[in-house]
């Protein structure tokens, strides 16, 4: 935040709603500041209950030929699908396979590796079963697991974050205004920097090394929003 001493000038009032809604209109009005221009950046964040976990895994198989590697990969994928269906996985996605040839090394003949990626979402209480049962299958490598909030509450949370971020910027501007002997603040311009969800992640251990795990210990999903406000102080 920085106070700027300005002569009387025209200011364009704009609400830049990037990342919020494509239907939000951008208002443009010419205003004047007959005082000191103050700019403050406010932010707010809010943790939310975890509704689902997002997961991804890579699946590999190896053989002396590409056909053999793909056949083995297909068999392993069938076992992974069966295990995931038992965990009531939602939005299951499987990529197309890719292959590459590994050159011969000492004590290792040349081979072809086939691989693909699997992703989906499941309930938090099924995390341990995912690690133990799916992670133990041949060729499976689990990636970090992310937490997701209930997207149906996004609108309510966004409004709360907007109010919180604006109040944060207003409090900062009031401190600076008081320091230079000013008391009245009039908002001239609000620029919304964005509303971003940062899912917290944990590293899923291999099945034989994973201790009993309580999904409630996962860090909660967190939304953050920041904005910049220009005030005319007098």
């Amino acid at each position: 935040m920085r106070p700027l001493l300005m002569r009387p000038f025209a200011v364009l009032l704009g609400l830049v709603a990037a990342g919020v809604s494509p239907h939000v209109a951008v208002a443009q009005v010419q205003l004047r500041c007959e005082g000191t221009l103050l700019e403050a950046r406010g932010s707010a964040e809010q943790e939310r209950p975890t509704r689902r976990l997002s997961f991804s895994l890579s699946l590999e198989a190896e053989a002396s030929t590409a056909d053999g590697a793909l056949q083995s990969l297909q068999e392993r994928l069938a076992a992974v699908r069966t295990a995931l269906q038992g965990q009531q996985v939602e939005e299951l996605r499987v990529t197309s396979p890719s292959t590459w040839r590994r050159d011969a090394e000492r004590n290792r003949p040349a081979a072809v590796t086939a691989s693909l990626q699997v992703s989906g979402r499941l309930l938090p209480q099924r995390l341990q079963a995912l690690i133990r049962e799916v992670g133990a299958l041949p060729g499976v490598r689990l990636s970090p697991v992310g937490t997701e909030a209930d997207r149906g509450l996004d609108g309510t949370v966004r409004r709360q974050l907007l109010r919180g971020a604006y109040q944060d910027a207003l409090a900062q501007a009031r401190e600076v205004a008081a320091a230079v002997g000013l008391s009245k603040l009039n908002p001239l311009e609000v620029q919304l920097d964005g509303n971003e969800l940062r899912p917290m992640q944990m590293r899923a251990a291999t099945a034989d090394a994973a201790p009993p795990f309580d999904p409630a210990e996962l860090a909660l999903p967190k939304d953050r929003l920041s904005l910049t406000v220009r005030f005319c102080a007098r």
Side-chain angles (χ1 to χ4, degrees):
M1 179 184 62
R2 58 184 185 276
L4 303 175
L5 296 177
M6 306 290 290
R7 293 177 297 177
F9 70 105
V11 177
L12 181 66
L13 174 63
L15 177 59
V16 180
V20 176
S21 171
H23 305 294
V24 176
V26 177
Q28 295 184 350
V29 180
Q30 293 291 330
L31 298 177
R32 297 186 64 84
C33 179
E34 303 282 350
T36 301
L37 180 65
L38 301 180
E39 182 178 285
R41 188 173 188 271
S43 63
E45 63 181 36
Q46 181 174 328
E47 289 186 337
R48 302 168 64 178
T50 299
R51 182 178 181 271
R52 295 188 304 182
L53 300 179
S54 61
F55 73 91
S56 63
L57 61 88
S58 61
L59 183 62
E60 292 187 352
E62 189 176 88
S64 59
T65 65
D67 286 344
L70 289 169
Q71 177 63 34
S72 179
L73 182 68
Q74 186 176 16
E75 294 170 355
R76 290 182 172 184
L77 177 59
V80 169
R81 276 200 179 105
T82 299
L84 291 176
Q85 288 170 357
Q87 301 306 321
Q88 300 179 355
V89 168
E90 302 174 357
E91 302 177 36
L92 182 63
R93 298 288 185 270
V94 180
T95 66
S96 59
S98 61
T99 61
W100 68 92
R101 185 171 183 82
R102 176 176 55 77
D103 295 333
E105 302 173 356
R106 179 181 297 182
N107 301 324
R108 294 183 67 187
V112 176
T113 299
S115 69
L116 52 77
Q117 302 291 319
V118 179
S119 62
R121 291 171 170 79
L122 76 166
L123 296 176
Q125 57 266 33
R126 298 189 181 276
L127 175 60
Q128 189 63 25
L130 175 73
I131 296 173
R132 291 288 187 183
E133 299 175 15
V134 181
L137 294 174
V140 171
R141 182 185 297 273
L142 290 173
S143 297
V145 176
T147 57
E148 295 185 356
D150 185 353
R151 307 321 308 178
L153 299 177
D154 281 358
T156 299
V157 172
R158 184 178 294 114
R159 288 188 290 272
Q160 294 172 347
L161 292 174
L162 277 170
R163 288 192 292 268
Y166 178 78
Q167 291 300 319
D168 182 32
L170 179 60
Q172 296 180 56
R174 281 173 173 166
E175 289 183 2
V176 175
V180 296
L182 304 173
S183 59
K184 185 177 180 180
L185 291 175
N186 181 36
L188 297 177
E189 182 182 45
V190 180
Q191 180 174 336
L192 187 60
D193 298 333
N195 180 22
E196 58 188 40
L197 175 64
R198 295 183 176 179
M200 306 301 293
Q201 297 183 336
M202 57 152 284
R203 180 68 63 176
T206 57
D208 56 356
F213 184 79
D214 181 3
E217 294 174 347
L218 278 172
L220 296 175
K222 182 179 293 185
D223 281 298
R224 296 179 58 88
L225 184 144
S226 58
L227 49 77
T228 301
V229 186
R230 284 188 169 188
F231 299 92
C232 184
R234 290 182 291 173

